[in-house]
Amino acid sequence: SMPHGAKHYEEARAPAQRAARLASDTADAHYLLGASLKGQDRTGQNEAAEAALRECLTTAPAHSDALNNLADIYIARGDS
């Protein structure tokens, strides 16, 4: 039988491994979050997408997909 608490560690392993992989490349993690939020019709989604994409660009300023998605948000909003 498993020692007390071992089951919780087993259950937490996969999410922890995913988090570690994401943390190793935070620019892409922020990009994916922003891209997944962009263009959804819910209130505040584009603002959240913009924040995530801007965060991506703080560590990867030349991230072309993030730049393109951010431009899409600005165009849709009417910014130039």
Side-chain angles (χ1 to χ4, degrees):
S1 104
M2 283 189 189
H4 181 69
K7 183 173 176 13
H8 296 292
Y9 288 112
E10 288 292 322
E11 292 170 355
R13 180 176 297 140
Q17 288 171 331
R18 283 193 299 275
R21 282 194 299 272
L22 287 175
S24 70
D25 198 349
T26 56
D28 281 339
H30 287 292
Y31 163 71
L32 291 171
L33 175 60
S36 71
L37 292 168
K38 182 180 76 79
Q40 296 185 15
D41 291 333
R42 293 186 216 119
T43 303
Q45 293 294 83
N46 274 346
E47 289 82 4
E50 180 181 355
L53 292 167
R54 286 178 167 278
E55 188 64 30
C56 168
L57 293 171
T58 62
T59 54
H63 196 292
S64 60
D65 290 330
L67 290 166
N68 287 332
N69 278 276
L70 202 53
D72 289 344
I73 291 171
Y74 294 155
I75 290 167
R77 193 165 64 198
D79 292 355
S80 55

